[in-house]
Amino acid sequence: MSHELPKTYDPGAIEVRWAEYWIKEKLFAVKTPGPGEAKRPVFTLLLPPPNVTGRLHMGHMLNQTEMDIIIRWHRMRGDLTLWLPGTDHAGIATQMMVERQLASEGTSRQKLGREEFLKRVWDWKKHYGGAIQAQMKRLGASVDWDREYFTMDENLSRAVTECFVRLHEQGLIYRGMYIVNWCPRCMTAISDLEVVHEDVAAKLYQVRYPIVGDPKNFVTVATTRPETMLGDTAVAVNPHDERYTKLHGKKLILPLMEREIPLITDDFADPEFGSGAVKVTPAHDPNDFQIGLRHKLAQINVMDEQARINQNGGPYAGLDRYEAREKILHDLEKRGLLAGIKDHAHAIGKCDRCKTIVEPRLSTQWFIKIQPLADRAIAAVEKGEIVFTPENYAKTYFEWMRNIHDWCISRQLWWGHRIPAWHCQECKEIIVARSAPQKCKCGSAKLEQDQDVLDTWFSSGLLPFTSLGWPEKTPDLDVFYPTTLLITGFDILFFWVARMIMLVCHFMDGHPQGSVPFTSVYIHALVRDADRQKMSKTKGNVIDPIDITEKYGTDAVRFTLASMASPGTDIAFSESRTDGYRAFANKIWNAARFMFMNLDRVSGAKLTQGAPAQLDRLEDRWIFSRFYRVAGEVNQALDAYRFDEAANTVYSFFWGEFCDWYLELIKPRLSAEGPEAAKALALLGDMFEGALRLLSPFMPFITEEIWHAMYEGKPPRKSIALVAYPQREQKWLNDAAEEHMAVLQDLVVNIRNLRAEMKVETKAKTPVRMHTSGDLQALISDNRGMLERLANVEAIEFTSQSLANAPGARTTPKFEVALVYERKIDVAAEKERLGKELAKLENQLAGAQRQLGNEKFLAKAPANVVEGLKKQAAEQEILIQKTRKALEGLGGA
RNA sequence: GGGCGGUUAGCUCAGCUGGUUAGAGCGCCUGCCUUACAAGCAGGAGGUCCACAGUUCGAGUCUGUGACCGCCCACCA
């Protein structure tokens, strides 16, 4: 490889090449060290496994960018760094996908049968399942691809079974008939979390239930779901509701079904609501279910699995639930039993997957008794074993954990981990076992495995240890468990993060390396569009990460996301910003070209020979000091997950200091002939190489490209990703150099400013006159080359006279400077500027004096603050005098 | 119904434990093709820090109230 870079920065060309190189060379594959091998700090990060059906979206890209930055940073710091990738089988989502495909072929899973269907799903996975991985590879995610897993892999499935069986043995898994959330379209139970609530403007219907023996009188109940009355088995009133005391013990006629049902008393009935009487439908409402248990009421299920009225619904059998509602209302009205209809806003639950309205349904399911697990999981965060960033999410977590309900883990699907329970066809015994039992206790061999599969989140909740080989005692588990960090979005805080904490703490309880799945959780925000709208297909504002990457380069997109990733704040992704970071990449590119161009010119020069023991020149001492200080800041920011601060710090260093000042300052030395130039180039190379390492986690591609070029094809390691990350180094920090440079920079800016104001031709050199202290005179004289070059100054004349009333002079606390130039200044404009300046200064001085005159301030404020304010006030006083003089010089204010 | 977050320049956002002159990018205005980069360089304008009250020597920063946005959770008909 030559050190020549093409004139134009073309991210596409270099990125594809390096992405392939990293994979081909297996640069990020991690060998598990044996027990005797040298110990290094271990950093383990689990990739939140994308769904096998998934396509990469901006949220993934943000997530992966953050993970990759952290991972590359740790790797460069010398940690044993594992980023473990995998894919989730995504039960419902995948099954839906394949079913849709089958439908288009005119068939269905029922027609194929379970076995054949599963074959189809595996086929589908083989063909379409790798989309996200391919995209991740293109984006350069530095995961260990050799360790990639799939949640349905044999060993992982075995671990899932093991966990299920253990929980069952411990009495933490039970099976029973309860009301669950049922999706009539997916035809499966779903957990509470998979129900999304949506506010709707609905109606509240008042229905009259005639009293037995007094059919002219009624008890009126209110309901939002009249169709469920077909399954009513009681009407409840509050025992203390005196309106109904005389009816206690009476029976009512359930209209339409013409069935007698009791009037019962139960505290659930709220006398304040409606008439105070509530219909009770134990098979179709969770509250009513509880009332039913308390009063031993019959449970009449009136709907089938698709939420159509079944034969228990008498004349309404066969109707869809909403058709039935219409007909029932119509029939009630006809009989004069509909007492009224009111508007009623409330929330309805929809299936997270398909948005079908969820039906509470009485059915037999498997559940996890969650309270013991939740208690433990709460303790883990309370005790600080797990730390959330932003810390606020801990509150959300506690809120949810403290109001948790048992988790329904069975799904009436085919794609997933089948429940390891076998039902004896003879005695109905249920055997939960690690593998299929030969025969039942009763001697029968007629055993059938449970038809249900497990909630996908059950298996993903186990990943922190199952992905490392548990329940075997593997070396991986030894070395890499527990994982160090989890980076994920808040959308799966409960689905995944909370469940992992519960399940892992339970199973790894007492593990020598700790029982928590990870010690740190970083929750990132949402990527929105430039107008802060949520990206959605229906709005058509979805930005495809691959499209945007092809347009601006991965490095620029990554940098955009990183620079905006301030914890807790959503990211309004705007292309203009990405465009800006492409310009930054271009800046890096051209700075490199500049360096290489000089390398060609200077014979005997080398870029990568390391820093000299001593730096003779101010600008060198300054840039080294700045670099090592910045390195410290970047490390600190990353340590706190302040991706934005880290990115902005390195950005302004590279552009605003290294390019804008240092490169300009070093140009004269580079263009000189001989050893001086070679020496300067070595310094430049050293700084540049360091800057590339500093930038590498954020922009892995362009830094890799230039870094290799700097070594002319013979780099010390195969990748910049494998060399050390820059750290703050005390020996290079130089406060004096930074202070001196600050004065010179201020001087340069002031002179440029004067030139612009006086409209001096760009190329014309101007002499300047200065008034300043002896120390600074020496500094400025020593560095007059800097002023000549950067401010186009021709000669500097020092004067002991104040320049304050010289027209067009600039005054600062440290110096006064004026151009020696015959061109007239714009008197009116200058007067305006000075006037504004004066007003501001006077204002500030007044404030400072007010404070300094306050005895309490002098008594209570820390000394350095008081000192600072005094100094400021003194400077301001001088500046005010000078500014007044300047105004007088111009002919008054 | 509960809980949480936000409001700082035209736009998108920083501002860490209260402390000297509130910052950046983009956009805008002016001047430059100064051979690394016009995807650039130099200079500039632009802010009642949502409102009110309070704590404090001192508030963008802490407390309270309100307004306006937004998010999450929820089995009361």
Side-chain angles (χ1 to χ4, degrees), chain A residues 62-78:
Chain A
L62 169 66
N63 191 219
Q64 290 178 17
T65 298
E66 290 172 342
M67 286 189 281
D68 201 37
I69 289 170
I70 290 287
I71 280 286
R72 284 175 183 270
W73 175 54
H74 275 277
R75 193 183 288 117
M76 290 178 78
R77 295 216 298 185

Side-chain angles (χ1 to χ4, degrees), chain A residues 94 133 152 155 236 246 252 267 312 314 362 369 415 473 618 637 639 687 733 774 839 847 851 869 873 891:
Chain A
T94 313
Q133 284 88 330
M152 294 270 283
N155 54 334
K246 58 182 189 296
L252 307 172
D267 286 333
N312 292 334
L362 191 62
K369 200 170 145 190
W415 175 242
K473 286 193 162 52
L618 174 63
D639 201 43
M687 251 314 98
L733 300 187
Q851 274 210 71
L869 197 62

Side-chain angles (χ1 to χ4, degrees), chain A residues 682-694:
Chain A
L683 282 170
L684 175 61
D686 191 63
M687 251 314 98
F688 209 114
E689 198 270 346
L692 288 176
R693 282 185 282 126
L694 200 60

Side-chain angles (χ1 to χ4, degrees), chain A residues 707-718:
Chain A
W707 190 77
H708 279 263
M710 283 184 77
Y711 285 97
E712 302 182 49
K714 293 187 280 292
R717 303 292 302 271
K718 280 186 171 173

Side-chain angles (χ1 to χ4, degrees), chain A residues 286-303:
Chain A
N287 290 309
D288 295 6
F289 177 77
Q290 293 300 332
I291 300 175
L293 291 184
R294 288 199 283 273
H295 298 269
K296 299 194 168 58
L297 300 174
Q299 301 162 333
I300 304 175
N301 185 348
V302 298
M303 288 182 207

